[in-house]
Amino acid sequence: MAVLAIRTLGDPVLRTPAEPVASFDADLRRLVSGMFETMEAAPGVGLAAPQVGVPRRLFVFDSGEERGAVANPVFAWRSEDTQEGEEGCLSLPGLYFPVVRASSVRIEGVDAYGVPVALEGGDLLARIFQHESDHLDGVLFVDRLGPEHRREAMRLLRDVELGLAAPPAVRGRAL
Ligand code: ZN
């Protein structure tokens, strides 16, 4: 499968809560392999199905240490401990702002064959799981910024849209 087109802000699919994955068939595995290719080409560390125009509860990730695909994920546990870290999103190219997330999480879901999986992660992995799960609910990382950063992000997005500013450079490590 070829690299898929990544949807960007303004595309309604990014704001639509995704439906659970119901069929674990060859089409799903083709989609998963296309999402891996797209994430690698971007390059990114995570990619959710709505970002390639498919409103299903599914994401792929590659933290450098762990890599996988999860469908229908739910949080089984989140630490009370939080961590602020810079985040970017493949659907908001070039925007990077600090976001507060739980430091560690445990998610449960199924793999591309419908087999139950449980994944635990801290730091970057925990951030990826939370960022991608947000995508499945139609939430973008700019929704989670403090008021000042949110204003700055909106101003930047508007200026790019109006042609008043060049799109900011992509620095990688987006999700
Ligand atoms: Zn994203």
Side-chain angles (χ1 to χ4, degrees):
M1 192 171 205
V3 168
L4 306 163
I6 296 179
R7 308 300 177 90
T8 52
L9 189 71
D11 191 314
V13 72
L14 293 175
R15 290 306 197 176
T16 307
E19 296 289 330
V21 175
S23 316
F24 298 88
D25 52 10
D27 282 347
L28 180 73
R29 288 187 284 280
R30 248 193 308 278
L31 170 64
V32 167
S33 100
M35 285 171 64
F36 271 119
E37 269 189 63
T38 308
M39 174 176 68
E40 279 151 24
V45 293
L47 183 72
Q51 292 181 279
V52 292
V54 180
R56 290 278 176 250
R57 305 191 76 81
L58 167 72
F59 68 77
V60 297
F61 65 94
D62 187 351
S63 69
E65 282 166 11
E66 278 196 66
R67 174 188 153 92
V70 191
N72 306 336
V74 292
F75 286 100
W77 178 79
R78 279 177 219 246
S79 66
E80 278 174 34
D81 248 34
T82 58
Q83 214 173 51
E84 188 179 67
E86 195 183 58
E87 241 170 79
C89 178
L90 296 172
S91 296
L92 296 160
L95 250 58
Y96 297 89
F97 287 99
V99 183
V100 177
R101 300 279 190 188
S103 310
S104 344
V105 298
R106 178 185 163 88
I107 56 168
E108 293 174 0
V110 292
D111 68 12
Y113 293 86
V115 176
V117 287
L119 297 157
E120 266 180 42
D123 303 316
L124 177 61
L125 203 53
R127 187 166 294 280
I128 295 172
F129 291 160
Q130 291 168 86
H131 181 115
E132 302 313 332
S133 295
D134 271 354
H135 273 302
L136 307 184
D137 295 327
V139 173
L140 297 172
F141 88 101
V142 286
D143 302 339
R144 299 205 178 276
L145 302 180
E148 226 163 276
H149 282 134
R150 191 176 157 79
R151 253 196 311 279
E152 198 184 323
M154 292 306 135
R155 194 182 315 126
L156 212 67
L157 287 167
R158 191 200 52 208
D159 288 355
V160 170
E161 201 181 309
L162 295 175
L164 300 172
V170 174
R171 288 184 271 141
R173 236 199 181 198
L175 309 88

